[in-house]
Amino acid sequence: MTSDHGVLVLAATPIGDPRDAAPRLAEEIATADVVAAEDTRRLRRLCNDLGITPSGAVLSYHEHNEASRTPELVERLRAGARVVVVTDAGMPSVSDPGYRLVDAAVTAGIRVTCVPGPSAVLMALAVSGLPVDRFCFEGFLPRKPGEKARGLAALADERRTMVFFEAPHRIDATLLAMAEAFGADRRAAVCRELTKTYEEVRRGGLAELAAWAADGLRGEITVVVAGATPAVTTVEEALPGIQERVLAGERLKDVCADVAAATGLSKKILYDAALAARRPASGVPS
C-alpha cells in the first residue's frame, strides 16, 4: 500500500433516528475531500440534523452510476483524497452501493476503513427473539415468484437464523412464499420502521405473519426467520458420515463436535461410538 494514497471511508448513517449517528460521522462528512452519497438530498437533510456542512465535493453514487463513477473515485483516492461513502441508511455496501468501490480500492492498494454505526440487520436480530449465536444475511429475495420460490427452497435446510430485507408492497407475498418453503409454523419476526416513530416488531409463525401482512405494510422492513430444526438422527445413522469425513483427513474430535452441533446428539457418545467402530489398524486420526 502506498502511503501517499488517500483513504476510503464507509460511513454508517442512521436507519431512522438521526440521534443514532456516531459522533465521528459528522466529522468525517464535514472534513472529507469527497463525499459520495447515494442520495444527495438525503445527505443534505442528514447534514442539517448533524449541524454540519461538507467542506469537500459532494457527488452522487448510486446503483445507476456506480459502475461509471467508481473509476473516478479511485483516481481521487490514488491522488490522496479522503473519500467518504454514505448511503440512505445503514452501512454502505450491505445491500447498498459501495462494494464495487471497495473492491476497486483494495485492488489498487488503497486503505479502506469505516465509521461503524446503526445496522437494521443487527438491530432486527437483537429484537427478534430468535437465536442470534449464528446467522446469515440474505438481503433482498428475487422479485419474480418462481425465482423467489427457488431461492427459498435452497434455504429450507439452513440451520442459522436468516435475515432478509423486503419492500412493503411485496412483504405479504414473500411471507406466504416463506411459509410454503419453510413451513407455516416456522418462527419469524417482521421488523418495521426500526428506530422511527412507528417502530413495530411482530413475532409469530410465518403463516400467521402472512395473514397479518395481507393488507400491506408501510415503511422499511427487515424479516428475521428461525433456522431449520435439525432432523432427529441416531448415532448409528451418523457414523457413516463421520467415518467418511475422517477418512478424508478431518480430525475425529472436530467431526464429532460438528455433527453434535448439527444433530443434537452427544459429542462424547459420537466420539466413543466412532472409536469403537473403527478397526485397530485403520490409522484414523483422532
Side-chain angles (χ1 to χ4, degrees), residues 120-157:
V121 175
L122 295 180
M123 181 173 176
L125 273 167
V127 302
S128 68
L130 299 173
V132 298
D133 53 334
R134 299 177 68 240
F135 66 90
C136 59
F137 174 58
E138 294 295 327
F140 285 95
L141 289 163
R143 297 184 181 186
K144 295 182 179 179
E147 294 178 4
K148 179 182 294 184
R150 286 190 291 272
L152 290 171
L155 294 169
D157 295 325

Side-chain angles (χ1 to χ4, degrees), residues 88-108:
D88 292 347
M91 180 63 71
S93 83
V94 180
S95 285
D96 277 330
Y99 169 75
R100 191 190 299 267
L101 180 55
V102 171
D103 183 44
V106 169
T107 300

Side-chain angles (χ1 to χ4, degrees), residues 249-266:
E250 296 185 62
R251 294 180 72 246
L252 178 57
K253 289 181 180 178
D254 296 338
V255 174
C256 289
D258 190 24
V259 173
T263 63
L265 296 170
S266 164

Side-chain angles (χ1 to χ4, degrees), residues 14-176:
I15 59 176
D17 193 329
R19 294 173 298 177
D20 293 333
R24 190 155 62 91
L25 176 64
E27 178 184 350
E28 289 287 356
I29 293 175
T31 61
D33 298 302
V34 179
V35 179
E38 183 178 11
D39 186 327
T40 56
R41 293 167 300 180
R42 291 203 180 192
L43 173 64
R44 192 177 304 117
R45 289 198 294 271
L46 176 62
C47 288
N48 288 337
D49 289 331
L50 299 178
I52 59 171
T53 300
S55 60
V58 174
L59 303 177
S60 63
Y61 188 68
H62 47 71
E63 61 177 329
H64 302 297
N65 71 357
E66 190 175 4
S68 61
R69 181 138 282 174
T70 292
E72 174 191 346
L73 292 174
V74 170
E75 285 308 308
R76 292 186 182 234
L77 287 162
R78 286 183 184 274
R82 189 174 187 88
V83 176
V84 173
V85 177
V86 293
T87 54
D88 292 347
M91 180 63 71
S93 83
V94 180
S95 285
D96 277 330
Y99 169 75
R100 191 190 299 267
L101 180 55
V102 171
D103 183 44
V106 169
T107 300
I110 295 164
R111 181 184 170 216
V112 179
T113 186
C114 81
V115 177
S119 166
V121 175
L122 295 180
M123 181 173 176
L125 273 167
V127 302
S128 68
L130 299 173
V132 298
D133 53 334
R134 299 177 68 240
F135 66 90
C136 59
F137 174 58
E138 294 295 327
F140 285 95
L141 289 163
R143 297 184 181 186
K144 295 182 179 179
E147 294 178 4
K148 179 182 294 184
R150 286 190 291 272
L152 290 171
L155 294 169
D157 295 325
E158 173 59 64
R159 293 193 175 101
R160 295 171 293 180
T161 298
M162 297 169 282
V163 185
F164 303 85
F165 287 159
E166 190 51 282
H169 61 281
R170 291 195 297 267
I171 185 61
D172 55 339
T174 292
L175 289 170
L176 283 171

